[in-house]
């Protein structure tokens, strides 16, 4: 199996009217020499004609393999040693049953002794001429390994989908549903790019292959939405969260360009949005990780692996990487599989961390309960002694009973926790969730919003100082002056005070 990249000469047919007669009349200088493994002709409305000289030193029939999904139309003129001309027409906008081999690749028979090939390619997206000449045996072997890998890819993505769907059914947490939908769109984008969708799902509707950008845009939209939920951007990096929200709105408009057939602008902006999305999400994940969100590590690793696969396939198509090794050729789907696995690890790690935090909070609550029970037992013992003494001496005064331990019921992934109010330092809103920070540097994620806890806590020594923060006044270490100012808590965490809440807080603190 031989790549034609370095053997190609090309000519741009802006009129798109050239046939074999005009092509043969062109002077040799009209064709430009290509030096790349997979020539990239960019996005253009004209047709590109490729000229290849072939010499078959065997007695086996040869085949032309065009391994690119964005080539909508392919015309091939095969001139053999006798000067006979054979014409073939294929492409992803041609009917599936018109293909020489019924599979997801574009294959054209060249005969036993082809001499000159004229290959015309055109499409609305980036034109990449990744083409090979192979014998029937080599082609069958290549197709076998290709089918095996595609089957493994689909099986792997199905496994990831079912695993996370099962967790969603168990926990009813929206984040897992978002990820399941993201896995579906990832899989769809790959089977669309690899031609598997046309082979298996819509063979009777070749016009559907024209929709290149919209599936990618939907996938981009979902991966950003998943990142915002998983990385808790609204609470941890509010500025980046607002940027991502604005960017989501902009990305949502891109399918309209493809709907109204505004090409090649649609394709160019879709590729640009992909690059911007990668940069934004890497920046967000890195920032959130450095701010202490431990579960971001697998997410960050997943994005790094995926971007690495994109770099490899891009360099290969640019001709910088010349290897045709299996791992290089399938870098994009391999990167997608690894990303899906690492994102699943990230979700599992998140659940493990939340469960550990809940266990730590429960241990702290039990410890405080035991201490309170010991205090009550001691109080009862002292009171009994006092009663005995009072019987002898009427001037003995009974002590006031200690207050019962007040606790906050907190629903979490690990059941309902009962946290002593004295151990709660502050609460931070996380959308429909809430993070509760405790003494001894422990914390727990509650599966209720901050507003649900506010009425009870405000009556028991807590105050709302920001739309996202509720603090225990008894745990305030100091106040820092400013426009709204901020408070430093006993765990050394600093919380901003909104301007509208400043006067109320200062009055409570007696400042």
């Amino acid at each position: 199996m031989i790549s034609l990249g370095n053997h190609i000469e090309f000519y741009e047919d802006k009129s798109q009217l050239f046939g074999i007669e005009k092509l043969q009349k062109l002077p040799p200088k009209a064709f430009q020499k290509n030096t790349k493994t997979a020539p990239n002709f960019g996005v253009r409305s004209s047709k590109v004609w490729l000229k290849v000289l072939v010499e078959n030193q065997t007695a086996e029939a040869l085949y032309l393999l065009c391994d690119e999904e964005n080539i909508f139309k392919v015309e091939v003129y095969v001139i053999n040693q006798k000067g006979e001309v054979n014409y073939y027409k294929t492409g992803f906008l041609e009917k599936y049953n018109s293909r020489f081999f019924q599979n997801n690749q574009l294959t054209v028979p060249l005969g036993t002794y082809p001499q000159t090939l004229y290959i015309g390619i055109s499409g609305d997206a980036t034109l990449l001429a990744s083409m090979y000449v192979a014998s029937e045996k080599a082609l069958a072997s290549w197709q076998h390994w290709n089918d095996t890998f595609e089957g493994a890819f689909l099986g792997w993505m199905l496994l990831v989908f079912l695993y996370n769907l099962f967790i969603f059914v168990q926990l009813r947490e929206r984040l897992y549903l978002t990820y399941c939908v993201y896995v579906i769109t990832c899989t769809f984008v790959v089977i669309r790019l690899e031609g598997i969708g046309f082979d298996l799902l819509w063979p009777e509707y070749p016009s559907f292959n024209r929709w290149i950008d919209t599936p990618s845009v939907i996938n981009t939209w979902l991966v950003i939405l998943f990142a915002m939920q998983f990385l808790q951007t609204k609470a941890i990096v509010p500025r980046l969260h607002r940027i991502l929200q604005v960017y989501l709105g902009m990305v949502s408009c891109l399918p309209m360009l493809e709907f109204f057939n505004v090409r090649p602008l649609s394709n160019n902006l879709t590729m640009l949005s992909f690059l911007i999305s990668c940069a934004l999400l890497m920046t967000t994940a890195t920032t959130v990780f450095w701010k202490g969100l431990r579960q971001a590590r697998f997410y960050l690793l997943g994005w790094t692996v995926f971007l690495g696969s994109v770099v490899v396939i891009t360099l290969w198509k640019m001709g910088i990487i010349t290897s045709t090794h299996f791992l290089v050729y399938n870098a994009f789907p391999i990167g997608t599989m690894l990303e899906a696995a690492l994102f699943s690890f990230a979700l599992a790690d998140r659940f493990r961390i939340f469960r550990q935090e809940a266990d730590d909070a429960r241990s702290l609550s039990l410890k405080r309960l035991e201490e309170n029970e010991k205090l009550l037992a001691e109080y009862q013992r002292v009171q009994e002694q006092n009663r005995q003494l009072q019987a002898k001496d009427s001037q003995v005064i009974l002590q006031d009973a200690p207050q019962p331990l007040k606790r906050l019921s907190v629903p979490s992934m690990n059941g309902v926790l009962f946290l002593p109010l004295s151990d709660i330092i502050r609460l931070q809103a996380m959308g429909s969730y809430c993070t509760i920070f405790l003494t001894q540097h422990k914390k727990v994620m509650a599966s209720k919003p901050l507003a649900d806890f506010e009425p009870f806590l405000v009556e028991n020594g807590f105050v709302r100082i920001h739309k996202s923060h509720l603090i225990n006044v008894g745990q305030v270490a100091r106040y820092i002056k400013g426009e709204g100012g901020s408070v430093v808590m006993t765990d050394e965490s600093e919380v901003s005070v909104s301007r509208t809440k400043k006067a109320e807080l200062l009055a409570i603190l007696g400042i």
Side-chain angles (χ1 to χ4, degrees):
M1 193 164 176
I2 300 174
S3 172
L4 296 183
N6 296 326
H7 306 283
I8 287 176
E9 295 178 323
F10 64 92
Y11 172 79
E12 183 177 6
D13 175 17
K14 295 182 179 181
S15 67
Q16 300 194 43
L17 299 175
F18 275 47
I20 186 61
E21 294 82 6
K22 289 187 177 182
L23 290 170
Q24 288 181 311
K25 291 179 181 179
L26 287 174
K29 292 183 179 180
F31 287 88
Q32 302 178 51
K33 180 66 178 176
N34 169 67
T35 57
K36 298 180 180 179
T37 306
N40 187 338
F41 299 104
V43 181
R44 57 181 72 198
S45 56
S46 55
K47 181 184 293 186
V48 177
W49 283 98
L50 313 176
K51 180 180 179 182
V52 183
L53 301 180
V54 181
E55 182 181 354
N56 186 8
Q57 297 180 349
T58 70
E60 298 182 67
L62 299 180
Y63 297 86
L64 173 69
L65 171 66
C66 178
D67 186 36
E68 274 303 327
E69 72 288 342
N70 289 336
I71 301 181
F72 290 167
K73 294 183 179 180
V74 180
E75 296 180 76
V76 182
Y77 291 101
V78 183
I79 305 176
N80 60 23
Q81 291 180 346
K82 298 180 181 180
E84 299 172 339
V85 179
N86 292 309
Y87 174 75
Y88 301 95
K89 187 176 182 180
T90 185
F92 282 91
L93 288 186
E94 300 295 328
K95 290 185 178 179
Y96 182 79
N97 57 16
S98 66
R99 297 185 177 188
F100 187 79
F101 289 127
Q102 301 289 297
N103 56 36
N104 60 317
Q105 306 297 333
L106 301 177
T107 310
V108 174
L110 302 180
T112 308
Y113 297 108
Q115 189 174 51
T116 305
L117 308 179
Y118 289 99
I119 308 166
I121 58 175
S122 59
D124 293 336
T126 303
L127 289 178
L128 292 168
S130 178
M131 298 189 178
Y132 303 86
V133 167
S135 64
E136 185 172 352
K137 183 178 180 181
L139 186 63
S141 177
W142 182 89
Q143 189 65 48
H144 166 72
W145 285 107
N146 192 59
D147 291 344
T148 301
F149 174 76
E150 289 171 353
F153 170 81
L154 292 174
W156 179 262
M157 298 302 285
L158 178 62
L159 180 64
V160 170
F161 169 77
L162 292 176
Y163 167 75
N164 287 281
L165 182 63
F166 174 77
I167 297 178
F168 166 72
V169 171
Q170 296 296 314
L171 300 179
R172 298 293 178 179
E173 189 177 1
R174 186 178 60 182
L175 179 62
Y176 286 91
L177 180 61
T178 302
Y179 184 63
C180 287
V181 179
Y182 170 66
V183 170
I184 292 174
T185 59
C186 273
T187 306
F188 185 84
V189 167
V190 172
I191 66 173
R192 160 67 185 82
L193 292 175
E194 298 296 322
I196 305 171
F198 191 30
D199 183 14
L200 301 177
L201 302 179
W202 57 87
E204 301 300 322
Y205 304 96
S207 59
F208 190 74
N209 291 322
R210 185 178 290 275
W211 292 84
I212 299 172
D213 302 327
T214 300
S216 299
V217 170
I218 294 173
N219 182 248
T220 298
W221 197 89
L222 281 166
V223 75
I224 294 174
L225 183 63
F226 171 72
M228 292 168 67
Q229 295 176 6
F230 179 81
L231 299 175
Q232 302 171 20
T233 56
K234 185 176 182 179
I236 300 176
V237 282
R239 291 184 179 179
L240 281 173
H241 180 80
R242 287 191 291 271
I243 291 173
L244 289 172
Q245 284 182 315
V246 173
Y247 183 68
L248 267 182
M250 296 170 62
V251 168
S252 302
C253 299
L254 290 179
M256 298 300 294
L257 295 175
E258 189 167 47
F259 180 79
F260 290 108
N261 200 30
V262 183
R263 305 172 189 271
L265 180 62
S266 173
N267 186 251
N268 289 335
L269 288 180
T270 299
M271 290 190 292
L272 179 62
S273 70
F274 173 76
L275 296 176
I276 295 174
S277 299
C278 291
L280 275 176
L281 293 180
M282 281 295 291
T283 301
T284 303
T286 303
T287 304
V288 167
F289 178 72
W290 283 113
K291 282 182 175 287
L293 191 71
R294 288 185 292 163
Q295 59 261 36
R297 54 189 172 179
F298 282 113
Y299 181 92
L300 190 58
L301 181 59
W303 258 111
T304 302
V305 170
F306 177 73
L307 290 181
S309 70
V310 172
V311 170
V312 169
I313 199 68
T314 302
L315 293 178
W316 178 71
K317 290 187 175 183
M318 291 175 64
I320 298 175
I321 296 178
T322 58
S323 172
T324 55
H325 191 275
F326 174 83
L327 294 177
V328 174
Y329 176 79
N330 290 293
F332 184 73
I334 290 174
T336 302
M337 292 169 66
L338 292 175
E339 179 203 44
L342 289 169
F343 280 8
S344 294
F345 290 158
L347 286 168
D349 189 47
R350 173 180 178 270
F351 180 78
R352 182 193 64 79
I353 291 172
F354 286 172
R355 186 171 60 182
Q356 182 62 50
E357 291 174 349
D359 289 342
D360 291 344
R362 182 181 289 106
S363 298
L364 181 62
S365 178
L366 290 173
K367 181 181 178 181
R368 292 289 182 263
L369 186 60
E370 289 174 1
E371 292 173 351
N372 187 254
E373 288 175 348
K374 289 179 181 179
L375 183 61
L376 288 173
E378 179 65 18
Y379 166 76
Q380 292 172 357
R381 186 185 66 81
V382 172
Q383 289 295 84
E384 181 62 29
Q385 291 177 350
N386 287 341
R387 287 192 188 95
Q388 294 174 3
L389 291 173
Q390 189 181 37
K392 300 177 181 179
D393 186 353
S394 60
Q395 294 183 354
V396 175
I397 301 174
L398 295 177
Q399 298 178 2
D400 291 334
Q403 294 295 322
L405 186 66
K406 287 189 176 182
R407 294 187 292 173
L408 177 69
S409 61
V410 178
S412 69
M413 288 185 176
N414 217 22
V416 179
L417 305 174
F418 295 93
L419 304 178
L421 297 188
S422 58
D423 280 319
I424 299 176
I425 296 176
R426 62 188 178 92
L427 297 87
Q428 182 175 354
M430 295 283 185
S432 57
Y433 295 87
C434 175
T435 300
I436 302 175
F437 294 86
L438 308 171
T439 55
Q440 300 183 14
H441 298 285
K442 299 185 185 302
K443 64 179 180 178
V444 64
M445 176 71 76
S447 55
K448 271 188 177 182
L450 179 61
D452 287 8
F453 298 113
E454 185 176 2
F456 173 74
L457 292 175
V458 167
E459 294 177 354
N460 290 277
F462 286 73
V463 62
R464 188 78 171 258
I465 63 170
H466 189 276
K467 65 179 181 180
S468 299
H469 298 283
L470 188 67
I471 66 169
N472 185 343
V473 177
Q475 295 284 353
V476 175
R478 65 182 184 274
Y479 173 76
I480 300 175
K481 294 181 179 181
E483 184 177 1
S486 61
V487 290
V488 178
M489 310 303 291
T490 54
D491 63 351
E492 296 301 321
S493 60
E494 185 175 339
V495 185
S496 298
V497 181
S498 68
R499 288 175 295 177
T500 58
K501 298 291 184 178
K502 180 179 179 179
E504 179 185 356
L505 175 66
L506 294 181
I508 293 173
L509 295 177
I511 300 176

